[in-house]
Amino acid sequence: MKVKINEKPFLPDGRHVVQITEVEEGKSENKDIPFFNLRLENGEGFVNQRFYLSEPGQPILAGFLKAVGIDKPEFDTKELKGKSLSVEVEERTYEDAEGKEKTIKQATNFQPAGKAETSNRF
């Protein structure tokens, strides 16, 4: 059997310098909360990160925007594509709306790309 893989692996846990390569917009499945999802990648792999446009999500979004150099109260998500930043990748386990345990990879602790030490390059 021949197998062809057309995808990078998930980034391993730890700090990485990444570039935003995809931006998608949507609404949450259960509460209809608007969000945008970013694909953050480098030569080693990728992680997807979703930002909810809710009151509890505002501080997280503010920290992310500071890291990518956006300091205005309103912006178009299309402006994010191509920007670079440094993130920490980690696994997080939570209980979904149906009470099932789920584990995801996520990006946290957003920093400007020049502020982090890393050997990962695009």
Side-chain angles (χ1 to χ4, degrees), residues 29-44:
E29 298 82 9
N30 296 308
K31 296 184 180 178
D32 213 33
I33 297 170
F35 69 83
F36 62 92
N37 187 71
L38 303 177
R39 180 178 170 114
L40 308 170
E41 70 178 289
N42 62 23
E44 192 176 338

Side-chain angles (χ1 to χ4, degrees), residues 43-75:
E44 192 176 338
F46 78 99
V47 64
N48 288 312
Q49 182 61 44
R50 193 178 275 193
F51 293 91
Y52 288 96
L53 305 179
S54 63
E55 190 66 32
Q58 293 293 301
I60 298 164
L61 182 56
F64 165 77
L65 292 174
K66 183 177 179 183
V68 296
I70 294 178
D71 61 354
K72 50 190 175 183
E74 204 170 293
F75 69 98

Side-chain angles (χ1 to χ4, degrees), residues 12-30:
D13 290 358
R15 182 152 294 277
H16 301 273
V17 173
V18 294
Q19 184 175 45
I20 300 167
T21 58
E22 293 178 22
V23 179
E24 296 177 327
E25 298 173 359
K27 290 192 176 186
S28 65
E29 298 82 9
N30 296 308

Side-chain angles (χ1 to χ4, degrees), residues 4-17:
K4 185 174 181 178
I5 304 295
N6 293 321
E7 183 60 277
K8 291 180 178 182
F10 288 120
L11 285 168
D13 290 358
R15 182 152 294 277
H16 301 273
V17 173

